[in-house]
Amino acid sequence: MLEQYGVIPVVTFRREEDALPMLGALCAGGLPVAEICFRTDCAKECIEAGRKAFPDMCIGAGTVLSGAQCADALAAGAQFIVSPGYSEEVALLCEERKVFYLPGCATPTEIMRALAAGLTTLKFFPANVYGGLSAIRALAAAFPQMRFVPTGGVSEETLAQYLAFDKIAAVGGSWLVKGTPADAEEAARRAVRIVHEVRG
Ligand code: 3PG
């Protein structure tokens, strides 16, 4: 479900009132998708507000570490769930609720566990620390059925090289939302241009 965007902005809101301007800016920049991290207390409210204000946007929850957090995220309207690692209870809940789950897997053993659960798209995190594109190429050779979403340390400068590899479903990152909403709109526009250039 994330392939169609190519890039997933990963955003942690410190205040609920920051959510709508930033999400609106991403939409205006042509990137109507965001992963809102459950790293702050207002994450749930931000997802709820975003879903209501931008019904055509695809809004997911990130840094979901437990089944309880996953249930909270789904209650808020999260359309996909991301974890930094693989969580059995989150996987089960997502399967039950028919929601796309993107767990972080960085080793062959973790990938095999996710595969056994029927998952074929995985977050590769933190991508820059675990070997970047060359690690993904090596893993993809062993797991041809898998597609990866590298996240962590990816930037506008490295986006194209990741997207050029056909085993990359999409790329995630917070670089898009580092500045003001106006900055994010421009960053989104540039990222969308790169996606089109690389994928045609
Ligand atoms: C995540 O949890 O996906 C990361 O915080 C995003 O990584 P980045 O900030 O290095 O882009």
Side-chain angles (χ1 to χ4, degrees):
M1 73 173 301
L2 301 175
E3 285 88 343
Q4 59 178 303
Y5 303 104
V7 179
I8 315 301
V10 178
V11 55
T12 301
F13 291 115
R14 317 238 159 258
R15 303 177 314 166
E16 193 184 333
E17 57 264 41
D18 295 337
L20 296 188
M22 188 55 88
L23 297 175
L26 292 171
C27 291
L31 200 51
V33 59
E35 172 190 328
I36 297 180
C37 294
F38 261 64
R39 296 182 193 180
T40 51
D41 291 339
C42 65
K44 191 177 176 193
E45 288 72 22
C46 292
I47 292 172
E48 241 157 28
R51 288 300 318 281
K52 203 184 271 177
F54 305 107
D56 296 333
M57 193 173 189
C58 181
I59 299 177
T63 323
V64 173
L65 306 180
S66 65
Q69 241 176 10
C70 180
D72 268 358
L74 295 176
Q79 292 154 290
F80 63 94
I81 300 290
V82 186
S83 300
Y86 180 79
S87 160
E88 200 77 50
E89 55 179 13
V90 173
L92 285 172
L93 187 54
C94 286
E95 192 187 350
E96 192 184 300
R97 306 280 279 275
K98 308 264 177 283
V99 171
F100 177 71
Y101 178 41
L102 185 71
C105 293
T107 68
T109 302
E110 292 163 358
I111 293 170
M112 286 170 69
R113 190 185 303 161
L115 189 58
L119 304 178
T120 52
T121 304
L122 302 173
K123 173 171 173 164
F124 182 66
F125 173 80
N128 60 336
V129 176
Y130 281 119
L133 191 54
S134 57
I136 296 174
R137 282 188 186 284
L139 291 168
F143 301 102
Q145 61 279 75
M146 287 295 181
R147 300 190 77 205
F148 298 89
V149 180
T151 309
V154 183
S155 64
E156 190 170 305
E157 289 67 40
T158 53
L159 175 60
Q161 68 197 56
Y162 278 109
L163 286 173
F165 184 40
D166 65 354
K167 297 293 180 179
I168 305 282
V171 170
S174 64
W175 84 88
L176 296 130
V177 291
K178 285 287 185 221
T180 64
D183 296 332
E185 182 176 333
E186 282 314 309
R189 201 163 277 135
R190 289 194 300 273
V192 169
R193 206 174 300 135
I194 293 170
V195 173
H196 288 151
E197 274 166 19
V198 177
R199 292 189 165 174

